[in-house]
Amino acid sequence: MRLALVSLLAYCLAAVSQSSTVDQYVSTESPIAKAGVLANIGPSGAKSSGAKAGVVIASPSSVNPPYLFTWTRDSSLVFKAIIDQYTRGADDSLRGTIDDFVAAETIQQQVSNPSGTVSSGGLGEPKFNIDLTAFTGAWGRPQRDGPALRSTALITYANWLVANGNTTYVTSKLWPVIKLDLDYVSANWNQTGFDLWEEVNSSSFFTTAVQHRALREGAALATKIGQTSVVSGYATQASNVLCFLQSYWNPSAGFITANTGGGRSGKDANTALASIHTFDPAAGCDAATFQPCSDKALSSLKVYVDSFRSIYTINSGIASNAAVATGRYPEDSYQGGNPWYLTTSAVAEQLYDALIVWNKQGSLDVTSISLAFFQQFSPSVTAGTYASTTSTFTTLTGAVKTFADEFLAVNAKFTPSNGGLAEQYSRSNGSPLSAVDLTWSYAAALTAFDARAGVTPASWGAAGLIVPSTCSTSTSSGGGPSSGSTVAVTFNVVATTTFGENIFLTGSVDALQNWSPDNALALSAADYPTWSITVNVPANTNIEYKYIRKFNGAITWESDPNNSFTSPASGSATLNDNWR
């Protein structure tokens, strides 16, 4: 008994020391991170020279790696954090910066680019030059999370404006931008695209999750401002997306599979990032939307974190239930495959979000799915519901708080003395690597710090949702009636290429971009020399198609005749071709 008490006392003292360390880190890093974000926003940010007003540069790094561009995803996540600060009254000075962002995105939506025009797929273009001209180099495109994330940021701003009597600005300035994005999401959510790391061309959990959120809150905003013609269409597609979202769960392995393609394990920061960016405190620990405290999200988080314990030198010797540095996914080789500040912050933020809900509802559920997660902290705990008045609740929430703080402490350990946050830090010695002053790293620190302080975002409508018993992949445009049924067809083509050359697909139906070489669909080279893409095409339809090569702006078509097939009436199909 005496030994047990001594051990408990030692644990408590360590937890207090850990908390003090993180308190200091949050205190010193918060203003640095805030300044880091603002320095990377044009036109007057200290490190954003050349950027138009409201444009977020990913990083001032112009070479190795060249990040002096603006990504729709990064910009939208950064401005969601800025808008949250403004709308809760934390910083009234941000209003002008937010309005600059609105103006910049209004322009950017209309810029024709390699993914198309505003009406033919261009909203899926992932990045632009910082003067808001199109980036025309080879890239992993389209990426379909950007429109959803941008609409979520602007809807948050719109809801605050409506609540404060400025509906006119919402309907005249914000709604046209939001509607374009939501129409794109509604029409394209069932199409494949590149994941948030721009590497895997398939369906992706992060993309699907943020698309679902955008459609839900978009329908609610439309109702609020009288744009009722789109509500039914958005709501229908939101239910379809929610149904599809369930398919990413891997019940036998206990984690959310990040992508439907790519040939990797599927363990990926993608899933933790999705959980924190679709956090709705009103939804409790809902598993259908994979809320941060849901049993599936917690189980998945453990599997993800554990995948990094043995692969980074800086994680060696750390206890199996203590925090470690985490990266994008364990198989990563980009820049050597290292921990990222933003992914390690995301783990902490998910845990803090979970604590917010448990403390709010006054109880905590341990299920057979989340049992392994909780047994990290209390090996004898069993499945059940533990009220806040129980010692088990106190033990578990205290341990989770310490665990969350440990992840921030890991980042603190490898943050240089000036507080600058790069993209990555070395897996071997923790020194900062890759792009310097990554805007997303700074924003991720700020949102994790807010979650630690108990700051809760506004609800977006995740509470009480029912997953349809049958999933539909039919989509609609402009919130209107659904089109006919579709089937998933995988196109595989064996093609050898030179470095920088990519293979695309186009064909005779809308889903294949109607023979447009400019808007052709990019195939993934994950299984090179086989290039692949899965597309939902009209069912029971005769379809013609061809593959094309793009290299340094030149386009080379396959030789005649056109490939052709009749899509099945239901189910799926796979086509295996060789370049000719």
Side-chain angles (χ1 to χ4, degrees):
M1 175 65 74
R2 181 179 180 184
L3 181 60
L5 289 173
V6 170
S7 298
L8 178 60
L9 178 60
Y11 173 80
C12 291
L13 289 173
V16 170
S17 176
Q18 183 74 78
S19 180
S20 177
T21 298
V22 175
D23 286 345
Q24 180 62 37
Y25 178 61
V26 171
S27 176
T28 58
E29 186 64 25
S30 288
I32 295 172
K34 178 75 168 291
V37 167
L38 295 177
N40 287 354
I41 300 175
S44 55
K47 298 180 179 180
S48 62
S49 177
K52 294 288 189 180
V55 169
V56 179
I57 66 168
S59 159
S61 174
S62 58
V63 293
N64 194 29
Y67 280 17
L68 194 54
F69 296 95
T70 183
W71 272 262
T72 304
R73 169 181 45 257
D74 298 38
S75 301
S76 300
L77 290 171
V78 166
F79 262 95
K80 176 62 164 62
I82 290 174
I83 290 167
D84 281 344
Q85 283 202 2
Y86 176 75
T87 55
R88 70 170 184 265
D91 187 348
D92 291 341
S93 72
L94 296 172
R95 178 67 177 267
T97 304
I98 295 169
D99 288 341
D100 283 346
F101 172 68
V102 173
E105 297 307 300
T106 303
I107 294 169
Q108 184 179 297
Q109 281 187 328
Q110 302 295 325
V111 176
S112 296
N113 56 69
S115 293
T117 66
V118 66
S119 59
S120 65
L123 295 178
E125 181 69 7
K127 75 174 187 178
F128 294 79
N129 297 318
I130 62 174
D131 63 357
L132 292 179
T133 59
F135 169 76
T136 57
W139 207 252
R141 53 171 66 93
Q143 295 175 30
R144 305 189 193 278
D145 56 347
L149 292 167
R150 178 167 53 203
S151 61
T152 282
L154 295 182
I155 288 168
T156 302
Y157 188 33
N159 285 332
W160 182 86
L161 289 168
V162 171
N164 286 273
N166 198 349
T167 302
T168 300
Y169 182 84
V170 172
T171 55
S172 64
K173 299 293 186 181
L174 295 184
W175 180 247
V177 178
I178 293 168
K179 184 177 183 297
L180 283 173
D181 281 341
L182 293 178
D183 287 352
Y184 178 88
V185 172
S186 183
N188 293 281
W189 68 264
N190 67 348
Q191 303 294 315
T192 57
F194 282 84
D195 68 335
L196 78 168
W197 308 131
E198 308 185 302
E199 297 171 345
V200 176
N201 190 5
S202 71
S203 295
S204 180
F205 179 77
F206 178 85
T207 300
T208 303
V210 299
Q211 287 173 331
H212 172 246
R213 171 179 178 162
L215 289 170
R216 290 285 180 196
E217 58 189 349
L221 175 63
T223 300
K224 189 182 301 183
I225 62 175
Q227 302 292 325
T228 55
S229 64
V230 300
V231 172
S232 176
Y234 292 166
T236 296
Q237 295 311 319
S239 293
N240 290 340
V241 179
L242 179 62
C243 197
F244 179 59
L245 191 67
Q246 312 312 305
S247 67
Y248 292 94
W249 174 246
N250 183 336
S252 60
F255 68 92
I256 305 161
T257 303
N259 300 304
T260 59
R264 302 198 296 250
S265 64
K267 302 167 187 175
D268 195 306
N270 169 325
T271 57
L273 288 163
S275 189
I276 63 175
H277 290 299
T278 58
F279 175 41
D280 185 339
C285 298
D286 175 58
T289 54
F290 297 89
Q291 290 298 304
C293 62
S294 67
D295 53 1
K296 291 179 179 178
L298 293 173
S299 176
S300 191
L301 187 70
K302 180 182 186 302
V303 172
Y304 161 71
V305 170
D306 287 349
S307 72
F308 294 96
R309 293 190 179 279
S310 63
I311 66 173
Y312 295 158
T313 302
I314 61 173
N315 288 342
S316 63
I318 296 176
S320 62
N321 64 346
V324 292
T326 68
R328 300 190 301 172
Y329 50 88
E331 302 90 346
D332 195 7
S333 61
Y334 174 62
Q335 297 280 331
N338 300 289
W340 285 41
Y341 290 100
L342 71 91
T343 59
T344 307
S345 290
V347 177
E349 185 169 344
Q350 182 180 333
L351 296 170
Y352 292 134
D353 288 345
L355 287 163
I356 288 170
V357 174
W358 291 329
N359 289 322
K360 176 184 176 183
Q361 67 188 20
S363 65
L364 175 155
D365 289 326
V366 178
T367 72
S368 60
I369 293 173
S370 61
L371 186 60
F373 170 84
F374 287 108
Q375 285 182 336
Q376 296 179 106
F377 316 114
S378 179
S380 62
V381 72
T382 58
T385 298
Y386 299 94
S388 58
T389 54
T390 64
S391 60
T392 300
F393 180 93
T394 302
T395 297
L396 291 177
T397 55
V400 170
K401 171 62 162 57
T402 299
F403 193 44
D405 278 354
E406 288 174 351
F407 285 96
L408 290 189
V410 170
N411 272 357
K413 180 179 180 180
F414 301 117
T415 297
S417 58
N418 67 358
L421 297 181
E423 180 181 66
Q424 309 173 32
Y425 45 98
S426 169
R427 64 193 292 159
S428 59
N429 61 27
S431 60
L433 293 173
S434 190
V436 298
D437 294 310
L438 192 79
T439 320
W440 191 358
S441 292
Y442 288 127
L446 292 174
T447 57
F449 297 164
D450 282 344
R452 185 175 189 261
V455 174
T456 57
S459 172
W460 55 267
L465 298 177
I466 298 174
V467 179
S469 57
T470 303
C471 293
S472 171
T473 58
S474 296
T475 60
S476 63
S477 176
S482 294
S483 60
S485 61
T486 61
V487 291
V489 175
T490 298
F491 296 82
N492 296 321
V493 60
V494 176
T496 55
T497 56
T498 59
F499 183 76
E501 185 177 37
N502 292 284
I503 304 297
F504 293 76
L505 170 70
T506 189
S508 60
V509 293
D510 287 348
L512 299 183
Q513 304 302 316
N514 292 311
W515 294 116
S516 169
D518 292 334
N519 302 327
L521 307 175
L523 277 69
S524 168
D527 297 315
Y528 183 84
T530 299
W531 297 71
S532 301
I533 187 173
T534 300
V535 184
N536 289 301
V537 302
N540 197 28
T541 302
N542 183 259
I543 296 172
E544 295 186 353
Y545 65 97
K546 270 188 177 180
Y547 302 101
I548 60 177
R549 295 173 182 263
K550 293 187 180 183
F551 183 58
N552 288 339
I555 294 175
T556 303
W557 290 80
E558 267 194 302
S559 60
D560 290 331
N562 295 335
N563 302 302
S564 66
F565 73 105
T566 299
S567 58
S570 60
S572 61
T574 299
L575 302 174
N576 295 304
D577 300 310
N578 289 282
W579 174 271
R580 11 175 211 90

